[in-house]
């Protein structure tokens, strides 16, 4: 199985900050990586697909980049409604695997 | 608009079989490049892909659960189902169904709201 390692596991930031989450794959997955946002009690929501493509309707302050084994997810100008847990997910090899999640809180 | 909704018992005893159904509305499960998926999430923890099923009946399961998992389709009701045998407390969690498109979008979307399954004696 491909292991997906996210860091940090939790993060506290202020409104307006730039926030970056990293995801490292245990082997090369090309750009086969997605990012999801999960708010408490809700199902995950796709935010970024194929490493860097913004899903329709997702605000432009969210972005992703990377290829191979190292990926980043960035929120420019953090907003209160961005409080959630974020997960990366690879689909290059079965089984599909997720990172352990990054819990984002407001300072 | 495609919508998915999970249903099934919320409480099981160890060794029983977990059986969940996902009802799909807004599209037929019998056509397209959709892989109908199950994902679970233990309380306070991360996401685990269980597997998916294509409209042909072709299935792919996570090896971590493969010996205990079976997925099936009921095209007459536009539903797909998950069975997990011999459950233990480690199978406790929220179970989600979701669509995954293999060729036109390799991500899970949309998701059902999730259903909590608790395994306890």
């Amino acid at each position: 199985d491909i292991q997906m390692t996210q860091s940090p596991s939790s993060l506290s930031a202020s409104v307006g900050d730039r926030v970056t989450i990293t995801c490292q794959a245990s082997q090369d997955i090309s750009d086969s990586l997605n990012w999801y946002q999960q708010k408490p009690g809700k199902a995950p929501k796709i935010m970024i697909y194929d490493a860097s493509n913004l899903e329709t309707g997702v605000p432009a302050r969210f972005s992703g980049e990377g290829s191979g084994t190292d990926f980043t997810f960035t929120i420019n100008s953090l907003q209160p409604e961005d409080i959630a847990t974020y997960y990366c997910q690879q689909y290059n090899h079965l089984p599909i695997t997720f990172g352990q999640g990054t819990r984002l809180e407001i300072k | 608009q495609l919508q998915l909704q999970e249903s099934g018992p919320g409480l099981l005893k160890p060794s029983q079989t977990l059986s969940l159904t996902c009802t799909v509305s807004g599209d037929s499960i019998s056509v397209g490049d959709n892989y109908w998926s199950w994902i679970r999430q233990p309380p306070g923890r991360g996401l685990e892909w269980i597997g998916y099923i294509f409209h042909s009946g072709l299935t792919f399961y996570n090896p971590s659960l493969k010996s205990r998992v079976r997925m099936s389709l009921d095209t007459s009701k536009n539903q797909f189902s998950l069975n997990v045998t011999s459950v233990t407390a480690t199978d406790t969690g929220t179970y989600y169904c979701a669509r995954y498109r293999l060729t036109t979008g390799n991500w899970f979307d949309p998701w059902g709201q999730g259903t909590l399954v608790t395994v306890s004696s």
Side-chain angles (χ1 to χ4, degrees), chain A residues 3-103:
Chain A
Q3 306 302 317
M4 306 301 294
T5 304
Q6 281 183 241
S7 62
S9 56
S10 64
L11 175 59
S12 182
S14 300
V15 172
D17 282 354
R18 185 171 190 251
V19 170
T20 298
I21 299 168
T22 65
C23 181
Q24 185 170 59
S26 59
Q27 60 184 273
D28 190 336
I29 59 168
S30 185
D31 62 353
S32 306
L33 184 104
N34 303 320
W35 289 96
Y36 297 84
Q37 175 192 68
Q38 185 180 32
K39 295 186 176 181
K42 300 294 186 181
K45 171 189 173 185
I46 183 70
M47 303 294 281
I48 300 285
Y49 62 91
D50 297 345
S52 61
N53 295 287
L54 196 66
E55 170 67 346
T56 302
V58 173
R61 64 180 180 273
F62 294 93
S63 64
E65 62 179 0
S67 184
T69 61
D70 296 301
F71 301 86
T72 59
F73 175 82
T74 299
I75 308 173
N76 281 301
S77 189
L78 183 68
Q79 299 300 303
E81 61 266 30
D82 300 334
I83 297 314
T85 300
Y86 293 86
Y87 294 93
C88 60
Q89 171 244 316
Q90 69 80 24
Y91 59 87
N92 194 262
H93 293 286
L94 291 182
I96 291 170
T97 49
F98 293 84
Q100 79 277 17
T102 295
R103 184 174 180 177

Side-chain angles (χ1 to χ4, degrees), chain B residues 1-6 22-27 29 36 78 80 97-99 109-113:
Chain B
Q1 180 185 358
L2 183 67
Q3 293 184 311
L4 291 80
Q5 176 71 59
E6 306 88 350
C22 183
T23 300
V24 179
S25 58
D27 197 4
I29 66 170
W36 303 103
N78 219 40
F80 62 103
C97 59
R99 177 188 61 181
D109 180 68
W111 297 58
Q113 66 184 27

